[in-house]
Amino acid sequence: MSQETTLSEFIIGEQRKCSEATGGFTALLNDICLACKRISYLVGRGALGGVHGATTGDNVQGERQMKLDVMANDIFLRTNESGGRLAAMVSEELEAVYPIPAQYPRGRYLLVFDPLDGSSNIDINGTVGSIFSVLRCAQGVTEPAAKDFLQPGTTQVCAGYAIYGPATMLVLTLGRGVYGFTLDRELGEFMLTHPDLRIAADTSEFAINASNERFWEPPVKRYISECLAGASGPRAKDFNMRWIASFVAEAHRILMRGGLFLYPKDSKDPAKAGRLRLLYEANPMAYLIEQAGGAASTGHGRMLEVAPEDLHQRVPVILGSKDEVERIARYHEEHDCGVDQPYTSPLFNTRSLFTQP
Ligand code: MN
Ligand code: MN
């Protein structure tokens, strides 16, 4: 039997490459991994675990909380609060910053997370995940407030996600490439199975919630119409469309075999700039995708350079294969300068997504 590398061995190895690193960061990552293993166990129990169904409450985003959203959030808080490495946490499920309870020592890192992503998939036994990002707490700050978390994605120390699919995997970047680990359920360890993941620059696969087509902006309508026109259209090749309704599952597919994911800005609810949240969904994924050679954009700039204004701020997300992300960014620029008229004229727009010639 070959001796595979465990996640802990991998992190210790990475730490040694970095002269200023301390064991504290390794301990923090071990706690995050333990939280993901605990959630993986619960998710894997399915209906037997009594974890299916919704609660009677809504979360801070006004979305109905599933039982598993609440349980996964609790697991993340409990598993990460006592290790002494964190100063505070921010969760999708909590409106305010979660300070480390007074009985535990405080550390120099901040953790932001989406404890359970894709929770509409729980009751159908579909793929869900957890997303996390680690930031540094500014020196001298002992009681971190919301403003201490409002750092652009470029400052992330590490980011990753766990995906609870047929196999549980943990995918991680420490800023030197992207590494995928598969949970060995008998050993209870994540084993390195996908070293140095890379995303091809080109793709013929995209994922978007097409039911929102009528709300999209012209550059996105243009891009998708061109894909749908296939081999006889301006792109001169056929595309495939995917939609799993779980951001983790979509990003994971892209890291495995390339592709493009869009949850663009739309006019459905003018109060919202997009669907996904910047701090604990878009930024960690953007960091992973960039580290694997892909790109992540809002349509109007690099995701990782967006200056956050709010803990739960939403943002348009376009990420995946680099050439396609750059093409869509260009379509936005061309639209802003008015040079895309032939593509976005009323005549062009009457072609619906599903009635392409
Ligand atoms: Mn989510
Ligand atoms: Mn969630």
Side-chain angles (χ1 to χ4, degrees), residues 232-253:
S232 56
R235 300 297 308 273
K237 66 173 181 175
D238 290 331
F239 284 77
N240 264 319
M241 188 165 79
R242 297 283 178 269
W243 189 253
I244 313 175
S246 157
F247 187 37
V248 165
E250 308 280 3
H252 187 70
R253 183 189 61 251

Side-chain angles (χ1 to χ4, degrees), residues 59 63 69 92-93 114-119 129 277 280-281:
N59 70 6
E63 296 163 343
D69 284 324
E92 180 193 35
E93 303 297 335
D114 175 355
L116 201 78
D117 175 73
S119 58
R277 273 58 56 103
Y280 42 79
E281 291 180 317

Side-chain angles (χ1 to χ4, degrees), residues 20-223:
E20 78 269 31
T22 63
F25 185 65
T26 304
L28 169 59
L29 273 174
N30 277 328
D31 286 348
I32 295 171
C33 293
L34 179 57
C36 295
K37 284 188 225 175
R38 285 180 162 146
I39 297 167
S40 173
Y41 173 75
L42 269 187
V43 170
R45 293 278 296 155
L48 299 174
V51 299
H52 280 189
T55 65
T56 51
D58 290 349
N59 70 6
V60 286
Q61 333 272 338
E63 296 163 343
R64 178 49 48 94
Q65 269 179 322
M66 305 299 283
K67 283 183 196 162
L68 211 50
D69 284 324
V70 177
M71 293 166 102
N73 184 56
D74 246 46
I75 288 172
F76 248 89
L77 295 176
R78 295 293 93 76
T79 311
N80 288 296
E81 69 186 358
S82 60
R85 312 300 167 185
L86 291 175
M89 294 184 250
V90 158
S91 164
E92 180 193 35
E93 303 297 335
L94 300 173
E95 183 151 23
V97 171
Y98 178 87
I100 297 301
Q103 68 265 39
Y104 302 122
R106 290 194 179 178
R108 9 183 226 131
Y109 295 106
L110 303 172
L111 176 63
V112 295
F113 58 90
D114 175 355
L116 201 78
D117 175 73
S119 58
S120 67
N121 278 352
I122 295 166
D123 288 0
I124 61 160
N125 196 20
T127 296
V128 291
S130 305
I131 312 173
F132 59 88
S133 160
V134 177
L135 302 166
R136 277 194 188 85
C137 186
Q139 225 146 30
V141 174
T142 51
E143 298 284 341
K147 66 171 173 31
D148 297 298
F149 283 84
L150 302 181
Q151 308 179 27
T154 47
T155 66
Q156 293 173 98
V157 178
C158 112
Y161 62 83
I163 178 166
Y164 314 115
T168 287
M169 286 187 67
L170 195 129
V171 177
L172 186 70
T173 183
L174 304 173
R176 285 183 295 275
V178 180
Y179 291 81
F181 303 81
T182 303
L183 181 62
D184 183 320
R185 294 183 202 271
E186 278 164 14
L187 287 175
E189 292 275 5
F190 282 107
M191 312 303 285
L192 179 60
T193 47
H194 295 68
D196 204 13
L197 289 164
R198 304 297 299 169
I199 301 171
D202 202 15
T203 184
S204 49
E205 201 167 71
F206 65 93
I208 192 164
N209 182 347
S211 68
N212 289 327
E213 185 200 7
R214 68 192 184 282
F215 303 113
W216 296 339
E217 295 184 320
V220 171
K221 282 187 175 160
R222 172 185 173 190
Y223 176 80

